[in-house]
Amino acid sequence: MVQTSLPKFALFACYFPQMTSGPVSRYKQVQAGLYGEHLFDYGQVTHGLKRMAWGLFKKMVIADRLGLIVDSVYGHYESSHLLLIWAGIFCFSVQLYTDFSGCMDIILGTSECLGIRLPENFRNPFFATTIQEFWQRWHITLGTWLKDYIMDPVLKSDCWVRLGEVSRKKLGRKWGKRIPTYLGMLILWLSMGLWHGSGWKFIIGEGLWFWIVIITGNMCGKSLQNLLKKLHINPKNLWWITFQRLRTFFIFSIGLICFRAADMGEVVRVLRAGVTHFSQRGFSQVKGDLGMTNLILLCAGLVVLAAVELMQNRGIDVFRWITERKSVLSWTAYVLVCGMILLSLSTGGQSFIYAGF
């Protein structure tokens, strides 16, 4: 649908909650909410406020405290023990997730209070078993936008169609189909890297790294299935699924070193320190930088986050689930969350990471 009304188009383009960090909304997804009649809905407003509080919890209680650890590790990686370096690398992955998804919770919660539904941008990505599935759960709206407006047009272009025909003649049907698809994916992932920044660290860490991992997984997928059969490993076994999730988290964290480091030179130095350093600076120094109170609140916050993520991954609307509990339980949860947010005001706070993109 083409919108010919300038005020209506301006309302869509300047809708304040999503202007800085998304989600990347399509006009057809929000037009009914933007221009329709809105009546006060108590349940909708309270649900939106709960989601906003959950976003503040993830940002202030978890992300900002993890940021203290990450800054401490990346600021002293040349004198840190390799275990501490890897702890900092993994902490940054969780920090980025709680920072970015917390921002989305605040945005979607605010919008819900106004009666406008924005598209979801995250779907419990750390439960993904492959990198391809991970990116289908992480920054969903950007991924679908790049696919619809960059990759699909490229694959349907005349030169790509001819490339497929030539590839089939020279290499056979199997590779004739794969080569144009993989090259189209390369353009998509280079676009993903350039969207985050023009430096090589974004092109490599946010683009080429994940492209290589995904196409390698696609090419080796059948061989891996055959290997699992020979080893009598059930793909649906919980231990195997857990291993896949940890492997995916590790691969994602490697890519994020490029995201966090100042440049590619620092990326190399951090990785080298992560396999060669047995320095004296260990967890006790980071514990001192963080403080016991912050450490306790961070651990408690991570436990709460894990429980909520597990419930959400099973399709449970946690906010409605808490509302349906007895008043004592629900109000205990509200007071706990709000209390931990208030106790986090002393950390000073950090700006949202994705506000810079």
Side-chain angles (χ1 to χ4, degrees), residues 336-350:
L336 175 66
V337 169
C338 292
M340 293 179 73
I341 292 173
L342 291 174
L343 289 172
S344 301
L345 293 174
S346 61
T347 59
Q350 301 179 24

Side-chain angles (χ1 to χ4, degrees), residues 12 35 56 160 214 255:
F12 166 71
Y35 313 128
L56 288 170
W160 240 255
I214 289 173

Side-chain angles (χ1 to χ4, degrees), residues 275-333:
V275 295
T276 62
H277 278 204
F278 294 90
S279 306
Q280 295 299 317
R281 188 174 186 274
F283 291 95
S284 59
Q285 281 79 7
V286 174
K287 178 183 174 183
D289 294 341
L290 189 62
M292 182 56 69
T293 301
N294 282 332
L295 182 61
I296 293 173
L297 286 171
L298 173 59
C299 292
L302 289 172
V303 170
V304 174
L305 175 69
V308 171
E309 290 277 315
L310 182 61
M311 294 174 69
Q312 289 178 336
N313 193 59
R314 293 178 176 177
I316 300 172
D317 186 331
V318 178
F319 310 114
R320 298 197 188 282
W321 183 86
I322 292 177
T323 303
E324 293 168 356
R325 301 305 101 184
K326 293 182 179 180
S327 297
V328 174
L329 178 60
S330 59
W331 278 102
T332 299

Side-chain angles (χ1 to χ4, degrees), residues 83-147:
L83 293 179
L84 179 59
I85 293 172
W86 283 106
I89 291 171
F90 297 142
C91 281
F92 180 65
S93 296
V94 182
Q95 179 197 1
L96 183 62
Y97 171 64
T98 49
D99 184 282
F100 192 15
S101 67
C103 179
M104 290 299 104
D105 286 324
I106 296 171
I107 290 171
L108 270 66
T110 303
S111 195
E112 187 176 355
C113 290
L114 300 174
I116 300 170
R117 299 281 184 174
L118 297 179
E120 295 289 341
N121 215 22
F122 287 90
R123 187 168 55 84
N124 311 111
F126 292 142
F127 285 90
T129 56
T130 66
I131 283 294
Q132 186 167 357
E133 182 191 356
F134 184 96
W135 281 100
Q136 291 169 353
R137 292 168 171 254
W138 176 286
H139 209 343
I140 299 169
T141 57
L142 176 62
T144 54
W145 191 92
L146 290 173
K147 178 180 178 298

Side-chain angles (χ1 to χ4, degrees), residues 39-67:
L39 300 175
F40 180 77
D41 186 326
Y42 175 81
Q44 179 176 275
V45 171
T46 54
H47 189 275
L49 290 173
K50 291 170 189 174
R51 182 153 193 182
M52 291 171 64
W54 178 238
L56 288 170
F57 180 90
K58 288 199 283 188
K59 166 62 177 170
M60 298 176 66
V61 178
I62 301 176
D64 287 351
R65 286 189 171 85
L66 285 174

